[in-house]
Amino acid sequence: MNNDKLRNTVKKLRHHKYSGVDEIVGIEPKNRYGKISKKLVKENTALYVDTNSQKEDEEIISSIKTLESLRAFMSEYKKCELHKSATNMVFSDGNPKSKIMLIGEAPGHDEDIQGKPFVGRSGKLLDKMLNAIELSRDKVYIANIIPWRPPNNRRPTDDEINMCLPMIKKHIEIINPSAILLLGSTATYALIKNSEGITKIRGKWFDIEINRKKYPMLPTFHPAFLLRQPAQKKFSWEDLKNLKSRVKN
Ligand code: URA
């Protein structure tokens, strides 16, 4: 560095010092973000969604590769009004490495308070159902179509379901399960768009394509329905055995 340059640098440093700068990281500015991969930058843009169009949101969602980024995106997502009355966003529970994914409708009161899916009365029954096929919550992965509790536990509207659909589809893609158990008519309708009711289509496998990959899905009764109609448990038992044998093979 020649004398002029040195003098100039000292002048600048003095100026910084008097402006309150008390730490020097380097003389020349350096782009410390230059080496961050495009992937990381894209995933971090997942946080900025408030003013995005639906198409922009979908582009961001399609670039998301990890559960952390998906969770970050969803916790910033304000277009679905349900977040306003919810106490917590309910993202998921269980083992992200599991081959089995369970998808419910939306959190209820207990789930909203605890921020975890299926922890209330229907969750207790679900735990028993899983135990019956030698599984448990930590051996499967559990999420909902809608991550926020609808007021008074009302059924989510079609608009709410459609708004949240790209997020649950991305969730499925990241978990990449070999089989998905759809708990109840809302989860089933959201992903399969069936015209027949749950009583008719439960127990049948459907392949649903997400981003050019097919995921086998098995609709079954929702545990809350089984609490009201215990006589239907025998059908769920058949579905659980069906699920277990599919994943074993
Ligand atoms: N019902 C659901 O569908 N999901 C939950 O998380 C709890 C109850």
Side-chain angles (χ1 to χ4, degrees):
M1 196 184 287
N2 65 32
N3 275 352
D4 277 354
K5 215 169 171 191
L6 184 63
R7 213 169 294 120
N8 226 345
T9 304
V10 170
K11 218 168 128 190
K12 276 189 203 154
L13 288 175
R14 199 174 289 134
H15 170 75
H16 287 323
K17 188 180 165 199
Y18 295 137
S19 315
V21 176
D22 59 4
E23 194 170 349
I24 295 160
V25 198
I27 289 175
E28 299 295 332
K30 211 172 190 173
N31 179 3
R32 294 181 193 278
Y33 298 101
K35 288 214 171 87
I36 289 184
S37 70
K38 275 193 185 148
K39 176 177 160 262
L40 202 64
V41 172
K42 263 192 169 178
E43 288 200 22
N44 279 304
T45 59
L47 292 172
Y48 307 112
V49 292
D50 248 14
T51 55
N52 285 354
S53 66
Q54 186 170 346
K55 190 166 171 280
E56 283 167 327
D57 280 344
E58 281 172 12
E59 275 167 17
I60 292 171
I61 293 171
S62 78
S63 75
I64 291 176
K65 299 279 183 290
T66 64
L67 286 179
E68 293 70 36
S69 299
L70 180 62
R71 186 197 284 269
F73 176 87
M74 286 167 60
S75 53
E76 293 286 312
Y77 188 81
K78 302 286 180 255
K79 286 174 192 146
C80 179
E81 298 272 306
L82 292 176
H83 81 274
K84 288 190 183 161
S85 51
T87 314
N88 283 298
M89 179 179 84
V90 175
F91 186 69
S92 70
D93 196 19
N95 181 356
K97 296 206 173 87
S98 176
K99 286 189 197 168
I100 301 176
M101 183 167 183
L102 272 52
I103 303 180
E105 176 178 316
H109 172 267
D110 297 309
E111 291 77 18
D112 178 57
I113 301 293
Q114 294 187 40
K116 270 190 185 181
F118 286 100
V119 290
R121 270 187 80 218
S122 50
K124 302 274 175 288
L125 177 57
L126 181 62
D127 287 343
K128 284 189 191 159
M129 290 162 70
L130 290 172
N131 290 343
I133 50 166
E134 289 161 6
L135 289 175
S136 55
R137 184 172 279 269
D138 52 334
K139 291 197 183 117
V140 299
Y141 188 80
I142 311 175
N144 281 310
I145 297 289
I146 308 275
W148 301 282
R149 182 193 183 199
N152 304 317
N153 294 346
R154 66 158 169 76
R155 191 186 176 279
T157 64
D158 283 359
D159 270 1
E160 288 159 354
I161 291 173
N162 289 334
M163 237 181 262
C164 295
L165 203 53
M167 298 183 249
I168 189 67
K169 284 188 173 173
K170 174 54 71 172
H171 214 143
I172 294 171
E173 220 187 310
I174 296 172
I175 297 300
N176 192 23
S178 314
I180 298 174
L181 189 67
L182 297 172
L183 297 165
S185 56
T186 303
T188 301
Y189 178 71
L191 286 155
I192 294 181
K193 301 283 183 251
N194 49 305
S195 50
E196 296 168 307
I198 185 78
T199 311
K200 279 242 169 90
I201 73 158
R202 58 138 283 280
K204 297 179 190 155
W205 286 98
F206 292 82
D207 274 348
I208 300 303
E209 198 171 309
I210 301 171
N211 213 359
R212 291 186 299 281
K213 177 157 191 228
K214 288 193 173 133
Y215 296 89
M217 302 197 184
L218 181 67
T220 192
F221 291 133
H222 193 285
F225 171 76
L226 297 174
L227 286 171
R228 296 193 300 272
Q229 304 269 341
Q232 306 297 315
K233 282 184 186 170
K234 56 180 181 282
F235 298 112
S236 298
W237 172 233
E238 293 306 317
D239 300 342
L240 290 167
K241 285 190 290 181
N242 188 344
L243 171 78
K244 187 78 190 283
S245 67
R246 172 99 183 206
V247 177
K248 255 190 199 156
N249 298 331

